[in-house]
Every structure is written in structure tokens, then in C-alpha cells.
Amino acid sequence: MAGPVSMPVIGTVFQWYALATQKNCLQTMQAIIEPHWPQLSRLSLLNRLYVIVNDADHLEKVLRDRDLTTKPWFFYGPLKGVLKDGIFTNNGSTWEAHRTAITPAFHRQVLEGYAEILKEESLKITNDISNFIGTDLDCREIMTRCTSLISVRTMFSSSIDKEDQTDVDELVEEIDRIVTNINQRSVNPLLWPDWIYERTQMYQKEIEFGGKATKLIERIVHRKTTEINQRATWSQTAKLGCKDKKSLLDMLVERKLMGELDMTAEDILIEATTMFGSAIHTPPLTATFILKVLSLRPDIQERVYAEICNVFHEEQKEWSYDDLSRLQYMDRVINEALRMFPVAPFILREVKKDMEIDNKHIPAGTVLMLNLMGVHRSARYHKNPLHFDPDRFLPERAGDFHPYSFLPFSSGPRNCVGQPLAWMMVKTLLVTTLRAFEIFPAADGVTDPSQFEVNMDLMINYVGGAKVRLVPRKASLAARE
């Protein structure tokens, strides 16, 4: 199998050293893969084989195989310091049971009840952004704070008190640093042993962050449990509660109290923390990449804004799930942003029994590194792949590319369970921001999305922040007149 020179025991140690020491982990990984792409290629260390999968047909084979759902310690293990054994990091029958319990919380009939909450929280963005008018601004921290509050009010159907708000603000300020630290451990074999990592400052910061997140979610779960217990004392129905459309936390706590759910209180806390962590990070990341694109492509920005005006009339007081669903051009813009800038450039699976890919023997214990960003940006699958073109996702062009050459939320049994809510959040952030502001380029010299400098800290990020300049729409129109 193609790959760098490998030596006994230490394997491709120089490539691991480069991943651990170079500033841009994603560029380093791409440089390792490029000489062998699109073939299977390999890395190795301490007699463990890591196979990089670069072909859409091979990705399909892996992701559709129910025997290939195990996530390895490499990449996911270091996340357990914060997310514990939630569905993002767990494996086997426990993962399967917990995913089955969580999935109904993201069905359409539940999400339909969230539209007004998303609107209420997102409208606060305009006040926060107004403090930075005329300056170069990366909106991600503002938007992360917004999605944190949305997550608490939707998935947990909980109010937010002053103590909650303080904890959310602290978590938002620290999350990027923690994600960077976890990524540094993932790619640095010297930090893999717990007895070494636990002596580092990174570990101490991770423990502090995890403690704050757990304290916040634990308080919310306790409030919800008390609320449901009180409801149950006067409810005359066979079922607990009185809501037809229950949130994630309602479903888990009620089913546990009725003895229908094989999850401990600790399990519920861990899964709530996992879903909270996923929800607060991914939507604002995607939204800020899109704002950066729109600042450079006024033609696309105007089409998105026109569609928003057509769906959400000025006098309209309420939003609905159906309103967001009608933003079909925005759907294509989001898809194109996720094609060029996938939240997870790589996902990993562990091989549990010997198999073959492309007539190559893959032994049990191998870690498969699935190169999603590679196929997303490949000219084999996408015409002019570095050109930002939302219309490549028009329904009539659906057959233009391999279905496994676009995997923004993974695919198969371990696809992203929270995708529908994440999509609603991204749309809401964009609607609110674009109704209030026109987006202009920052003074950073970037003129096209193909020039974006991106890195990977577990998930993709924009080096230095995806900065834009925002001008209130009314002021912008007045200036033109």
C-alpha cells in the first residue's frame, strides 16, 4: 500500500512528528496524502496501521458497513475528557441503545415547536453585532453564545437564569482553546498515555472546562427532573408530563422515571452534555464561514437576501419550521459551504475483523481515516471544485456527482443525529444577520473563498477568524441613494 517510508515499530514517525509540530495540521495531512491520492495510503506507529481512504466508492463501502461503526481511541478518545462516553465517542450496544433513545428528539414534529425560540434568541445577535459596526469582526463567539442559549431552551426545554448565563459565557470563551488542546493531544503520540497527559497544563484546562459544562447541564437536568416529578403527582394520565412535542431532556427523563429507558442519571447527564457541546460549536462555525463567503460574493448575498425578504415579510411576527424550509436557495448555499469547508475534514473508524478495500488486505485493528474534505474538493467528483457555486446542488444536477463525494454530516449508521436542528440553527443565524446587516469584505486581502486559510482542530476552523465587516441595511441603502 502506498505511503511514506515506514520503519519497524516506530513506523512513519517523521510524519507523526510533522503533524504534532507544524502549525497547520490540515495542510500537513494534505501534504502527506497528496503524493498517493486517490489511492489508499497509509501511516503507521507502534505496529498500528492507519489507512487513509480517499475514494468515494471506498468511503461508501466503509460507511454503509454496520461492522464498521466503531470509533477508535485515536481522535475520539481524547474527547472523553469533556464528552465522557456519550454517543459521539461511545461504541457497541451502549451507543446503539442511546442513539435509539435520542433520535426521536430530532424528528420534525418536535423541531416545529422550536422556530420561535430560535427567532427570539437569534434576534439578540443584532444588538451584540451593533457594538462592532464598521470594524472587522469574526461573529463566531457572538453566534456561539446564541446557539448555547438556543440549545438550553430547545433540547432541554429549560429557562435560563443568571447563573446559567454566566456559565454559558465562560464556556463560550474557552471552547476554542479546549478543542485546540484536544487536537494537539490527538496528533501527538507523546501525549497519548494518560500518565503523561495528566501532568500537562492542557489536561488541567480540560478538567476545568469539563467541570463547568457538567455543572451547567447537571443543574438543568435537576430542574427538569424536579419539574417532571411535580407534574407526575397531579397528572391523571398514564404517561408523565403534558407536552405533545417533548424535548430531548423531557423524553429521556420521563422514560427513565417510567422505567422504560435503560439509562442511568449519569448516562442522561453525559448525553445531554454531548448534544450541548455539538450544538453550540458546529452551527456558528458553518454560519461564519458562509458570512465570509457572502462578503466576497455580493451576487450570492443578494439572492439569499431576496429569498429571505420573500419568505419573511417585514410585518411577520412569528416564524415557523415551514418558513425556514422554504429557503431553498439558502439550502444550496449551506450545502456548498459544507462541501468546500466540511465541519469534520476527516472521520475515523476502527476495523474489528480482517477486510479488503480495493483488493488490499486491511487487518483487524487498523484505523481507517476517511478523507471527506479530499472528496469534497476533488475534480474527479465536482466540476471546478474550488469555485463556490451553490447551484451545483440544484435538484436537476443531483446526478452530477457521486453521493459519497458529499458527506457533510457523515453517512450510514453513525451519521449526525442532530443534523436537523443544526440546519435550523444555521438558517436562523443567517436570516437574522442578513435581515439586519449587509456583509462586506474585511481588510484582510482575501478576495475569493478558494483563498481561505483553514486548519483542523478536530473540526475545521478559519485561521485568524472568518472576519467580515457589517453595515446596517438601512444605513447601507441610504449611502447608495
Side-chain angles (χ1 to χ4, degrees):
M1 191 180 297
V5 173
S6 180
M7 295 178 283
V9 183
I10 61 173
T12 53
V13 65
F14 298 112
Q15 282 68 33
W16 288 106
Y17 178 78
L19 285 169
T21 57
Q22 296 298 315
K23 286 185 178 180
N24 196 309
C25 177
L26 183 58
Q27 287 182 0
T28 303
M29 193 68 188
Q30 289 170 332
I32 292 170
I33 295 169
E34 189 174 3
H36 317 290
W37 196 92
Q39 303 174 63
L40 292 175
S41 54
R42 49 123 186 98
L43 295 172
S44 59
L45 186 70
L46 302 177
N47 295 321
R48 171 65 70 92
L49 182 63
Y50 298 80
V51 172
I52 305 162
V53 182
N54 302 303
D55 179 270
D57 286 329
H58 301 158
L59 290 176
E60 181 175 11
K61 176 182 175 68
V62 172
L63 291 172
R64 294 184 66 174
D65 191 336
R66 295 199 67 86
D67 290 330
L68 289 171
T69 59
T70 300
K71 292 185 175 181
W73 184 93
F74 173 63
F75 206 74
Y76 299 102
L79 279 166
K80 293 190 178 188
V82 175
L83 299 181
K84 313 299 181 189
D85 283 317
I87 63 167
F88 188 74
T89 56
N90 213 339
N91 293 306
S93 58
T94 302
W95 158 74
E96 222 167 339
H98 287 196
R99 182 183 171 98
T100 299
I102 287 168
T103 298
F106 298 99
H107 288 172
R108 173 171 176 157
Q109 61 267 34
V110 177
L111 299 180
E112 285 174 343
Y114 292 164
E116 271 300 297
I117 294 174
L118 268 68
K119 174 189 174 184
E120 289 171 16
E121 291 298 336
S122 66
L123 286 174
K124 298 173 185 176
I125 290 175
T126 58
N127 293 329
D128 292 337
I129 290 177
S130 295
N131 297 321
F132 300 93
I133 295 301
T135 65
D136 290 352
L137 172 67
D138 177 4
C139 298
R140 187 146 71 92
E141 184 172 315
I142 291 172
M143 290 186 170
T144 301
R145 186 172 291 104
C146 173
T147 54
S148 302
L149 301 179
I150 287 172
S151 298
V152 172
R153 293 189 60 193
T154 56
M155 292 191 297
F156 307 151
S157 62
S158 173
S159 57
I160 300 164
D161 61 26
K162 187 175 181 180
E163 188 177 10
D164 296 338
Q165 183 69 64
T166 299
D167 286 346
V168 165
D169 290 343
E170 291 178 358
L171 291 171
V172 168
E173 288 177 6
E174 296 172 14
I175 189 168
D176 282 347
R177 185 186 308 112
I178 297 302
V179 170
T180 297
N181 287 350
I182 292 171
N183 186 68
Q184 287 178 356
R185 186 188 184 194
S186 294
V187 298
N188 186 347
L190 294 178
L191 295 175
W192 290 355
D194 290 340
W195 66 272
I196 294 179
Y197 183 65
E198 289 171 2
R199 286 165 171 75
T200 67
Q201 190 174 17
M202 289 190 296
Y203 173 75
Q204 297 305 320
K205 294 290 184 184
E206 180 185 309
I207 292 300
E208 290 172 13
F209 180 86
K212 289 178 184 176
T214 299
K215 183 181 73 170
L216 170 66
I217 305 304
E218 194 170 42
R219 194 165 57 243
I220 293 169
V221 171
H222 176 72
R223 284 204 303 257
K224 177 58 61 178
T225 304
T226 302
E227 173 196 327
I228 291 175
N229 272 320
Q230 289 173 346
R231 250 190 260 155
T233 61
W234 55 257
S235 174
Q236 300 301 310
T237 62
K239 294 285 184 180
L240 291 170
C242 55
K243 296 181 182 179
D244 293 322
K245 300 175 180 178
K246 296 181 175 69
S247 72
L248 169 66
L249 201 51
D250 280 312
M251 289 181 182
L252 296 182
V253 173
E254 288 188 8
R255 289 188 63 201
K256 174 176 169 49
L257 291 174
M258 289 187 290
E260 295 179 356
L261 187 65
D262 187 20
M263 288 175 69
T264 66
E266 179 73 9
D267 290 336
I268 291 175
L269 175 63
I270 289 170
E271 296 301 358
T273 304
T274 295
M275 300 314 299
F276 177 76
S278 301
I280 70 172
H281 199 255
T282 304
L285 185 67
T286 300
T288 49
F289 267 95
I290 293 171
L291 292 180
K292 183 69 175 176
V293 170
L294 297 183
S295 75
L296 304 174
R297 293 291 302 275
D299 56 325
I300 296 175
Q301 182 178 167
E302 284 307 308
R303 286 185 67 181
V304 174
Y305 179 63
E307 183 180 60
I308 291 171
C309 292
N310 186 50
V311 172
F312 297 95
H313 304 296
E314 189 67 35
E315 68 277 6
Q316 188 172 344
K317 298 296 184 184
E318 295 183 355
W319 292 11
S320 71
Y321 181 92
D322 286 338
D323 289 331
L324 292 172
S325 299
R326 289 166 58 199
L327 298 170
Q328 295 181 5
Y329 183 67
M330 184 183 288
D331 280 331
R332 300 202 294 275
V333 170
I334 297 171
N335 273 329
E336 180 67 344
L338 289 170
R339 184 191 65 81
M340 287 189 68
F341 312 106
V343 172
F346 290 84
I347 59 176
L348 281 68
R349 297 290 183 265
E350 183 172 345
V351 177
K352 287 300 188 181
K353 58 184 180 181
D354 291 7
M355 64 177 297
E356 284 194 356
I357 302 177
D358 195 29
N359 297 318
K360 303 284 196 307
H361 176 69
I362 311 293
T366 298
V367 172
L368 301 177
M369 305 174 71
L370 311 185
N371 184 6
L372 304 191
M373 192 167 186
V375 294
H376 280 202
R377 290 177 165 223
S378 168
R380 297 179 74 201
Y381 307 111
H382 303 280
K383 184 179 179 181
N384 198 2
L386 296 184
H387 175 62
F388 193 93
D389 177 18
D391 285 339
R392 73 173 79 237
F393 289 96
L394 281 165
E396 57 266 30
R397 292 175 60 181
D400 285 2
F401 52 85
H402 193 297
Y404 280 76
S405 69
F406 176 61
L407 299 163
F409 295 97
S410 185
S411 184
R414 292 210 75 147
N415 70 339
C416 177
V417 69
Q419 171 187 344
L421 179 57
W423 201 267
M424 283 183 72
M425 286 185 180
V426 173
K427 281 188 156 183
T428 302
L429 294 171
L430 294 176
V431 168
T432 303
T433 305
L434 289 168
R435 288 184 83 186
F437 304 101
E438 191 167 0
I439 320 297
F440 292 93
D444 56 8
V446 177
T447 59
D448 187 82
S450 62
Q451 299 172 344
F452 289 3
E453 185 181 356
V454 295
N455 195 1
M456 180 178 68
D457 284 334
L458 297 180
M459 290 179 273
I460 199 168
N461 67 64
Y462 194 109
V463 177
K467 295 178 181 178
V468 296
R469 189 162 293 200
L470 298 101
V471 176
R473 286 240 167 232
K474 291 180 181 178
S476 178
L477 290 172
R480 292 178 186 178
E481 293 172 359

